[in-house]
Amino acid sequence: MIVESARDTRYGTENLMTLTRSMPATENVTASETLSGVPRWAVWCAWTTVLCTVPSGVWRMALGFGVDVGFTGELGEMYTGVDIMVYVLTLTVVSQAAAFLTLGLIRPWGQTVPRRIPFLGGRRIPPLAGIIPAALGGTAVTGLCLALVLPSGGPLANPEFPQGTAGLIMDVCYAPLLLWGPLVLVLTAHYARRRSAAPDPRHTA
């Protein structure tokens, strides 16, 4: 009897150790930590996507709060008042929030719903639920930036846009956005490859 109990206990301990070793990496880190297996370059890319939206957001907020950023003529009159303040505030918050979502490509909450979320907490996020929105967003941002920069007769050629020093400041603030879309696409490809290589925790358990 004693021998059998000891044997059962030993087997139970071995099974527990095996299950613990097979738990997915997302169970071993907090939501604010980077997943194991994510290379340093991917971490830098993710944070770059967050930071590259900040300069343009600051520039827009200055415009919204009445700072003369260099618009003249009809545009100078249009970009004033409460309406433009609400518009730039909304645009800045939305774009910054979208940039922060990129961190989900390297962190646990991009693979498993955080447990603090009611009803869905702890559920595994299907890979395509992260891949498709990120790929579409990265492609859209890239296309929009190229459409504004490449055409010789595009919106930036309007003489009522900021010129001289004011125009240079605007260009410097918006130039980092050219990195946003391509970096998101690179991170999305890495996320897709990592998720496809990782075992399904449902099958592992």
Side-chain angles (χ1 to χ4, degrees), residues 112-125:
T112 305
V113 179
R115 295 190 179 281
R116 63 179 178 272
I117 304 297
F119 306 111
L120 298 177
R123 291 181 178 272
R124 176 178 178 271
I125 298 175

Side-chain angles (χ1 to χ4, degrees), residues 11-29:
Y11 290 159
T13 303
E14 291 177 353
N15 290 337
L16 178 59
M17 293 175 63
T18 302
L19 179 60
T20 301
R21 288 194 298 266
S22 64
M23 291 294 286
T26 55
E27 297 293 336
N28 301 324
V29 294

Side-chain angles (χ1 to χ4, degrees), residues 12 71 73 77-78 80 82 122 128 136 157 165 181 183 185:
F71 286 105
E77 297 177 359
M78 181 186 305
T80 57
V82 177
L128 289 180
L136 291 177
T165 302
L183 287 178
L185 293 176

